[in-house]
Amino acid sequence: MTAGASRPGPGASRLSLGALRRLPPASRPLVRPGTVPAGIVHLGLGAFHRAHQAVYTEEAVAAAGGDWGIVGVAPRSTDMVTKLAAQDCLFSVTTTSGEGNQTRVVGALAGVRHAASDPAAIVALLADPAIRVVTLTVTEKAYQLDPATGRLRPDDAVLADLTTDRAPRTVPGLLVRGLLARAAAEAGPLALVSCDNLPSNGERLQSLVEQALRRCGGGPAAGRDDPLAGWLGENVSFPGTMVDRIVPASTPQTLADAAAALGADDLAAVAAEPYRQWVIEDRFPGGRPAWERAGAVLTDDAGPWERLKLRALNGVHSATAYLGALAGRETIAEALEIPHLATVLRRLIAEDVASSFTPPDGVSVVDYGEEVLERFGNPVIRHRTIQIAMDGSQKLPQRVLHTIADLRTAGARPRWAALVVAAWMRFVQGRADDGTPLPLDDPLADRIRAALAAGTDSPAGVVEALFGLTEVFPAELTADDEVRELVVEWLTALDRHGVQKLLEGVA
């Protein structure tokens, strides 16, 4: 058992194949692990994958069949691999709302692997002809792409993966080695499917792969660039997607709720809101599960859906997290109880987000935003503001800055989106309105701290210093005097009044 994990209570059993017959009928998996051969490799064994793609895939296989079991791969931590292996790859998802909970065990996983312990096994999986789909939920950081330019910015580990023969340790390295092995084995077509919250995530994943392959000059790809590029174009697709479901990090209460519902301890239990959505571009040269039978939307272009979600949901989520954390609220639902915050968020959606892009046909951005706020207000989903606020330097561009850029192109004034930028700038200074320390969990944390140390004499100085983070803020935005003035104005008000009094004055 992993150190620190919950132990079964007296007489309690661990979730396993042997325990399935004792589960309540409504909680039993739709697919029994071990009965469906693997056809999918998924990189990232986090809570979101388990509550989203794994659920869709199990339902699709139960409805339409197919050898689409998932081999789940944890890139770094062994914790979830250990827990799932001890439970015969079973885990539960508790759908939770104010109306009560529903817990069901999911049997979509055909196996679990730890990439860092045995990278060669992962490369072999990616080259296996039985695997026709690779999905990813590895977070923005793992892509190693500059959010402003989309260019690969490899660190030493990535460069070593791409230019030496050592075992790969990074996501770009695993993908490139796997594709090289697959091409050499003539193992057939493959779809690489990003399920991360990135704009044009399919295009970005394709760009990552193509740029990484071009870096392979002295290692296993030497002399293979042109043939491999031809093979890639003929055999590998990169469908874009949009994924949506609020899945908070699991807590001891999550595990306790699952144990109470199942009569067995589940150390890999997750909880999620009832709502879920998956929009997928239907480009799968080796076939795919019948995800539409589980409610997924198959489309020719996921772009409008991506922008809708990134701006009207993720951007609003970030706004709520920064303002809520500054005001001392622990969860997103508690933040929405701050007087006037919901009104300001509605104005952000209606006046800025809805004006910044063309939504999917038949979709109202304002109506979608109302549904978002209702979901955020679910008191049972304890999505922590600090958790949503982390990695802001990676999230701001696609969630907020693209809205600002498109508004400025149209000649509009991004008043409320500028407030979100100012809230992030105040958040990264590390103090809530009452002086409580706030953590800075961000891949650019050292750069942010250095910038703040050089420019914290005034709100204008902070804005100037943080606008110098070119990885986050594009030149056209930092050169825009109106945007700069708006951010300085909001940051000044946040410094002077704090979140609650500021909201009272502007709502």
Side-chain angles (χ1 to χ4, degrees):
M1 177 174 289
T2 304
S6 301
R7 293 184 176 275
S13 63
R14 175 76 63 83
L15 181 62
S16 65
L17 288 172
L20 291 184
R21 67 182 183 277
R22 297 190 296 273
L23 295 180
S27 295
R28 293 172 187 166
L30 302 178
V31 172
R32 185 180 177 91
T35 65
V36 179
I40 300 172
V41 167
H42 181 81
L43 300 181
L45 263 178
F48 185 80
H49 166 68
R50 303 201 305 279
H52 190 274
Q53 296 96 27
V55 173
Y56 273 99
T57 300
E58 184 190 48
E59 292 180 7
V61 171
D67 50 349
W68 294 112
I70 301 170
V71 178
V73 177
R76 294 177 299 277
S77 173
T78 61
D79 182 57
M80 191 50 58
V81 173
T82 300
K83 291 174 180 176
L84 286 167
Q87 297 180 177
D88 297 324
C89 295
L90 295 166
F91 63 90
S92 65
V93 178
T94 297
T95 301
T96 182
S97 70
E99 299 177 357
N101 294 348
Q102 293 181 321
T103 301
R104 182 170 69 81
V105 173
V106 177
L109 293 178
V112 288
R113 301 285 188 276
H114 181 233
S117 298
D118 193 0
I122 309 309
V123 171
L125 267 175
L126 297 177
D128 186 339
I131 302 300
R132 287 96 74 207
V133 175
V134 175
T135 53
L136 300 91
T137 51
V138 291
T139 77
E140 296 94 333
K141 289 181 286 189
Y143 287 77
Q144 294 286 330
L145 293 173
D146 185 313
T149 66
R151 303 302 302 168
L152 186 69
R153 51 180 191 195
D155 59 18
D156 291 344
V158 175
L159 284 174
D161 280 358
L162 301 179
T163 60
T164 74
D165 291 320
R166 77 158 198 198
R169 302 175 186 174
T170 67
V171 168
L174 285 169
L175 292 177
V176 166
R177 298 289 185 89
L179 289 172
L180 288 167
R182 193 175 186 91
E186 298 182 354
L190 183 73
L192 295 180
V193 189
S194 170
C195 299
D196 284 295
N197 284 318
L198 296 167
S200 305
N201 56 8
E203 294 177 11
R204 289 196 173 226
L205 181 56
Q206 181 172 0
S207 177
L208 178 156
V209 169
E210 292 175 348
Q211 291 181 64
L213 286 171
R214 287 196 292 271
R215 291 267 187 167
C216 294
R224 295 287 303 280
D225 297 65
D226 289 340
L228 184 62
W231 178 86
L232 197 75
E234 293 173 3
N235 290 276
V236 182
S237 69
F238 299 85
T241 68
M242 186 276 276
V243 298
D244 190 6
R245 192 175 198 184
I246 296 175
V247 184
S250 295
T251 66
Q253 188 61 51
T254 308
L255 306 189
D257 289 344
L262 301 174
D265 283 348
D266 175 10
L267 299 184
V270 294
E273 67 169 337
Y275 181 95
R276 72 183 194 197
Q277 189 174 42
W278 195 5
V279 179
I280 313 166
E281 292 176 351
D282 198 2
R283 297 186 285 113
F284 290 83
R288 61 167 176 80
W291 283 313
E292 68 276 16
R293 296 286 296 274
V297 175
L298 279 296
T299 182
D300 293 331
D301 181 12
W305 294 97
E306 292 171 5
R307 287 185 286 277
L308 175 69
K309 196 247 180 167
L310 283 166
R311 300 185 188 192
L313 186 145
N314 296 123
V316 175
H317 217 190
S318 290
T320 309
Y322 299 136
L323 293 167
L326 289 170
R329 303 302 173 98
E330 182 181 359
T331 70
I332 294 295
E334 290 167 359
L336 280 177
E337 295 175 355
I338 300 171
H340 311 296
L341 178 57
T343 298
V344 167
L345 295 175
R346 287 187 174 95
R347 296 189 71 176
L348 167 65
I349 294 164
E351 297 175 23
D352 285 5
V353 174
S355 302
S356 70
F357 76 108
T358 301
D361 289 344
V363 175
S364 163
V365 177
V366 171
D367 291 345
Y368 178 88
E370 282 297 318
E371 185 175 38
V372 163
L373 293 177
E374 181 179 352
R375 292 166 59 194
F376 287 175
N378 183 345
V380 186
I381 298 293
R382 296 190 58 80
H383 223 170
R384 299 176 63 238
T385 53
I386 296 300
Q387 179 191 359
I388 306 305
M390 67 186 293
D391 298 337
S393 69
Q394 305 290 293
K395 296 173 179 176
L396 269 181
Q398 59 266 20
R399 295 185 177 198
V400 181
L401 302 186
H402 290 174
T403 295
I404 292 175
D406 288 342
L407 288 171
R408 296 304 289 148
T409 298
R413 191 168 183 263
R415 183 186 183 197
W416 305 105
L419 169 60
V420 186
V421 176
W424 174 76
M425 290 184 172
R426 180 156 171 79
F427 176 86
V428 299
Q429 292 178 63
R431 294 284 174 183
D433 292 343
D434 64 0
T436 301
L438 294 171
L440 179 55
D441 188 344
D442 193 286
L444 295 184
D446 291 341
R447 294 280 314 282
I448 292 168
R449 291 189 184 101
L452 290 171
T456 56
D457 56 319
S458 67
V462 170
V463 173
E464 178 68 23
L466 293 177
F467 269 7
L469 298 172
T470 56
E471 304 95 324
V472 182
F473 297 101
E476 59 269 23
L477 186 149
T478 60
D480 189 320
D481 289 340
E482 185 162 4
V483 172
R484 182 183 295 262
E485 290 169 5
L486 279 168
V487 176
V488 170
E489 177 184 328
W490 283 122
L491 185 56
T492 301
L494 286 168
D495 283 353
R496 183 174 301 161
H497 304 296
V499 170
Q500 298 198 53
K501 287 187 177 180
L502 178 146
L503 294 175
E504 291 172 8
V506 300

